[in-house]
Amino acid sequence: LYMTDLDVVITEGYKTGKLPKIEVYRDSVAERPACLNDHALLAIVSDKAVDTKRPTLDINDFKGVADIIENKIIKGPKAERARRLELSLNGKNLKLSDETAKRLKKAVEEVLAGVEEGDEDKNGLIELRFQR
C-alpha cells in the first residue's frame, strides 16, 4: 500500500509466513535452523555447516546473499536457470547439486578475475574443457 515502487522489502521474523526466506542461523543461538522444512526457504546463512539441499552461505558472504535476493526474488527463476552452471562428461550432461555448482562456478570466476585480458565480455558464456 505504501511501498509500491520497491522491488524487495527485508524483514525480520515471519518464520511461518509464506513469503521467500533466507534464514540466518547461528549455532550458539539454536540447535538447528528453524525453517529447514519450509518450501519458501531460499537459503541459509550460517556460522556452521548445515546438512540441507538448500544453498548454505557463510555468515560473512554478503555478496552471496545479495546474489540470491537478486536472482531468486528480483529477477526470478528464469534468470537463475539462465545463470546455472552446466557440466558434461563425454557429451553427457551431469547433474550437479546446487552447492557443487556454486563452488565450481565461484572457483572459475576467481580464476577469471586474475586474468588480465583486453575488453572481453565478462558476463558471457564461459567454456572450460579438459581431459582427465
Side-chain angles (χ1 to χ4, degrees):
L1 188 62
Y2 298 104
M3 299 181 273
T4 58
D5 61 339
L6 302 178
D7 293 322
V8 176
V9 175
I10 297 174
T11 61
E12 184 177 356
Y14 302 102
K15 290 180 183 96
T16 59
K18 295 180 181 178
L19 295 172
K21 301 172 181 60
I22 298 174
E23 180 174 356
V24 177
Y25 165 67
R26 290 188 181 269
D27 184 44
S28 62
V29 175
E31 188 174 315
R32 66 184 213 66
C35 300
L36 275 179
N37 296 321
D38 189 325
H39 294 295
L41 182 65
L42 300 177
I44 297 174
V45 178
S46 180
D47 58 352
K48 172 186 175 183
V50 177
D51 185 20
T52 181
K53 291 183 181 180
R54 310 280 181 164
T56 303
L57 304 169
D58 181 80
I59 198 105
N60 298 307
D61 187 3
F62 60 88
K63 183 180 180 319
V65 173
D67 287 345
I68 287 174
I69 292 169
E70 179 180 14
N71 292 322
K72 296 205 181 235
I73 296 173
I74 296 173
K75 291 181 179 176
K78 286 185 181 179
E80 181 68 18
R81 281 194 302 274
R83 294 176 54 91
R84 182 157 175 84
L85 181 130
E86 295 177 10
L87 181 65
S88 64
L89 177 62
N90 296 325
K92 286 183 71 177
N93 285 342
L94 302 176
K95 291 184 180 179
L96 300 175
S97 70
D98 287 343
E99 186 63 28
T100 299
K102 178 184 162 199
R103 287 180 182 171
L104 183 55
K105 183 177 178 236
K106 184 176 181 177
V108 170
E109 287 176 343
E110 286 176 2
V111 169
L112 291 175
V115 174
E116 296 182 20
E117 290 293 322
D119 297 317
E120 73 277 354
D121 181 10
K122 294 187 181 204
N123 294 319
L125 177 66
I126 299 167
E127 289 189 42
L128 172 65
R129 298 176 190 209
F130 69 93
Q131 187 172 350
R132 61 176 183 162

